[in-house]
Amino acid sequence: MKIICDNTISASQDQLQILENLAAKWNRQITFEEGTMPEDLSLLSEADLALVFIILPNNKKRIRQYLENGRELRMPYTFLTDQMQMPENIRKVLLPIGFLEEEVGKAQYAAAFGRFCGAEITIVQPNDYGSRAEKNIQKSIELFDKFGLNYQIVKGKKDSFKIEQEAAFMAADLQADILIMSSSRDYGLDDILFGPKEQHVIQKAHIPVMLVNPRKDLYSLCD
């Protein structure tokens, strides 16, 4: 597990202690690097890391730079801005699941929080016409059942294209401690001009946001 701290901000001792405790629960070693630049994130693409935490300001340009440099990472990377509260314990994971096939990939990380931290998983189901999202949810549930994890399903009002933003707004009412979402496959014109969906979620969220890239060779967790 690695913590990187942007060179425009300082990590607090409380943040570092909480993340050290989290690493211990995951049975992982932790390293801390401060004074980093966004391009430093891309250097971790082949690193043997279970998790990466990025401490940075809630600045649109800075967030976008880290997003662009994190698109090839095999491991999940979590944004922790200065407007977010890092909880002492991860008791509830918020997991919006849409219709794209890669949505199932992030379930293993939600399961890890359930296994190592005893967290409950709240699946946010989109309001879609088809059944693809439901099938992805069912595949995720099969994994959670395998480990005997606690989970619930909450139905959202938005479709798969907007379910992550809705989940971020629901976080306070659901008492969630972290949100896990997939990053964009590709950036379309709107993403280039106005920013991808994950940028908007990170800017608006008040809890850490973990991103999982849509790739088939994701880092596989083991005990």
Side-chain angles (χ1 to χ4, degrees):
M1 187 178 294
K2 190 176 185 68
I3 306 168
I4 63 174
C5 184
D6 185 69
N7 66 348
T8 63
I9 199 171
S10 297
S12 70
Q13 289 301 313
D14 287 343
Q15 284 177 324
L16 296 179
Q17 186 60 59
I18 289 171
L19 292 172
E20 283 185 14
N21 293 341
L22 177 62
K25 289 180 179 179
W26 279 54
N27 195 27
R28 295 293 194 278
Q29 298 293 322
I30 192 168
T31 59
F32 172 62
E33 184 176 344
E34 57 185 342
T36 62
M37 299 286 287
E39 53 266 29
D40 295 332
L41 186 61
S42 62
L43 301 177
L44 304 177
S45 59
E46 299 303 323
D48 185 20
L49 296 169
L51 286 175
V52 175
F53 278 86
I54 308 164
I55 299 175
L56 75 167
N58 187 27
N59 175 279
K60 177 173 66 175
K61 181 178 179 180
R62 209 61 168 170
I63 292 170
R64 178 67 176 271
Q65 290 173 332
Y66 276 100
L67 287 173
E68 291 175 349
N69 281 278
R71 292 181 60 78
E72 299 301 320
L73 295 181
R74 292 178 56 239
M75 74 290 292
Y77 47 114
T78 302
F79 285 77
L80 183 55
T81 72
D82 51 8
Q83 79 165 11
M84 295 176 180
Q85 181 66 39
M86 184 66 201
E88 292 188 12
N89 296 297
I90 305 293
R91 295 190 177 93
K92 183 169 288 189
V93 176
L94 201 54
L95 186 68
I97 297 181
F99 66 80
L100 296 175
E101 61 180 354
E102 62 262 22
E103 291 287 277
V104 179
K106 60 191 175 185
Q108 66 162 316
Y109 302 107
F113 282 110
R115 295 164 58 200
F116 302 137
C117 302
E120 179 185 358
I121 302 162
T122 297
I123 299 169
V124 185
Q125 180 177 345
N127 185 20
D128 288 351
Y129 288 109
S131 61
R132 291 164 61 187
E134 291 182 14
K135 291 179 180 178
N136 287 339
I137 290 173
Q138 186 56 44
K139 290 179 181 178
S140 300
I141 286 176
E142 289 174 3
L143 175 64
F144 302 153
D145 285 339
K146 177 181 177 182
F147 294 108
L149 303 179
N150 294 320
Y151 59 85
Q152 63 171 334
I153 300 174
V154 175
K155 291 189 176 181
K157 297 179 181 179
K158 303 294 185 181
D159 62 16
S160 286
F161 296 102
K162 295 289 186 180
I163 195 61
E164 292 94 352
Q165 292 93 324
E166 183 177 8
F169 283 116
M170 297 167 64
D173 289 339
L174 294 173
Q175 298 181 319
D177 298 310
I178 192 168
L179 188 154
I180 304 178
M181 64 178 288
S182 301
S183 62
S184 301
R185 284 184 181 178
D186 299 294
Y187 287 168
L189 181 59
D190 285 350
D191 298 322
I192 295 171
L193 293 176
F194 305 111
K197 62 178 182 179
E198 50 267 36
Q199 175 187 319
H200 297 290
V201 171
I202 292 166
Q203 285 183 256
K204 295 174 182 177
H206 292 279
I207 58 173
V209 177
M210 175 181 287
L211 296 184
V212 179
N213 285 331
R215 50 187 297 171
K216 295 181 179 179
D217 60 340
L218 289 172
Y219 182 93
S220 296
L221 294 171
C222 56
D223 295 334

